[in-house]
């Protein structure tokens, strides 16, 4: 089976995500690559997508695009059907930890070791850099209506941001360790 081939080749699976319709999974590996596997047949659907560095990856809401975020300080948007690179997002000063599409598919967020999150449009244009955390920004999630974003950090806080203005709305404190 496909997962056994990972073990046989000494790959480590770093991150996994299902396509929105559940028909495919993507796996990022310790070999700087992304594999897309058809769940029904257990086989790869496209050649491995290579993005140097440790990467994580997520589908967009309609399953047509994938974003990878890498320790090489870039994010890349890929065509999910062909594996073709569509855009490279450059703007962080250090490795990326997370990336995701908004529910309405109009925005992207990336988080970084550089203590920032960046909001991008679908063509890789940086719209806003969210500054306010004092440690790595580990994770971010859009609200269901795509109007707000929450970021989580090693600084023991979560912050809620207005997507349109980029302004900080609320800082959630009280954790005794990273969020």
């Amino acid at each position: 089976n496909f997962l056994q081939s990972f073990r046989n080749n000494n790959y480590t699976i770093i991150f996994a995500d299902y396509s929105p319709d559940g028909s495919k999974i993507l796996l990022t590996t310790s070999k700087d690559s992304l594999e897309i596997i058809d769940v029904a047949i257990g086989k790869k659907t496209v050649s491995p997508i290579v993005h140097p560095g440790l990467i994580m990856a997520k589908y967009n809401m309609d399953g047509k695009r994938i974003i990878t975020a890498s320790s090489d300080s870039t994010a890349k948007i890929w065509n999910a059907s062909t594996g073709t690179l569509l855009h490279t997002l450059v703007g962080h000063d250090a490795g990326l930890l997370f990336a995701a599409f908004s529910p309405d598919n109009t925005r992207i967020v990336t988080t970084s070791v550089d203590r920032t999150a960046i909001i991008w449009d679908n063509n890789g244009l940086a719209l806003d850099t969210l500054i306010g955390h004092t440690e790595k920004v580990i994770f971010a999630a859009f609200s269901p209506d795509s109007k707000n974003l929450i970021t989580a950090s090693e600084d023991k806080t979560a912050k809620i941001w207005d997507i349109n203005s980029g302004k900080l709305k609320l800082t959630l404190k009280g954790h005794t360790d990273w969020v």
Side-chain angles (χ1 to χ4, degrees), residues 24 26 34-36 45-49 58-60 62-68 76-88 101 122:
K24 296 180 181 63
L26 55 83
L34 166 68
E35 306 280 354
I36 302 171
T45 61
V46 297
S47 296
I49 294 171
K58 294 281 292 173
Y59 277 98
N60 76 333
D62 63 14
K64 293 181 180 177
R65 293 179 300 142
I66 294 168
I67 188 157
T68 55
K76 295 179 185 277
I77 303 170
W78 308 86
N79 178 302
S81 298
T82 65
T84 304
L85 178 62
L86 302 173
H87 302 285
T88 300
F101 293 94
N122 284 327

Side-chain angles (χ1 to χ4, degrees), residues 3 5 8 10 27-28 41 55-56 59 74-75 78 81 98-99 102 121 133 135 138 140 155 157 161 167-168 170-171:
L3 293 178
S5 72
N8 293 341
N10 293 321
L27 302 171
T28 68
I41 59 175
I55 59 173
M56 65 75 55
Y59 277 98
T74 69
W78 308 86
S81 298
F98 187 79
S102 62
D121 73 6
H133 284 289
E135 297 292 336
I138 299 168
D155 68 7
T157 69
W161 309 84
K167 293 190 190 260
L168 179 63
L170 181 65
T171 298

Side-chain angles (χ1 to χ4, degrees), residues 14-15 28 51 53-58 67-75 92-100 109-118 120 133 135-140 151-155 178-179:
I14 305 294
F15 191 88
T28 68
H51 186 169
L54 290 175
I55 59 173
M56 65 75 55
K58 294 281 292 173
I67 188 157
T68 55
S70 172
S71 59
D72 76 353
S73 304
T74 69
H92 285 283
D93 294 331
L96 302 188
L97 298 171
F98 187 79
V109 63
T110 55
T111 71
S112 175
V113 172
D114 70 7
R115 303 181 311 269
T116 68
I118 298 179
W120 311 81
H133 284 289
E135 297 292 336
K136 298 174 191 172
V137 182
I138 299 168
F139 181 78
T151 55
S153 172
E154 282 189 357
D155 68 7
W178 59 274
V179 181

Side-chain angles (χ1 to χ4, degrees), residues 2 22-25 36-46:
F2 186 77
S23 68
K24 296 180 181 63
I25 57 172
I36 302 171
I37 299 104
D38 184 304
V39 173
I41 59 175
K43 298 216 184 249
K44 296 186 244 182
T45 61
V46 297

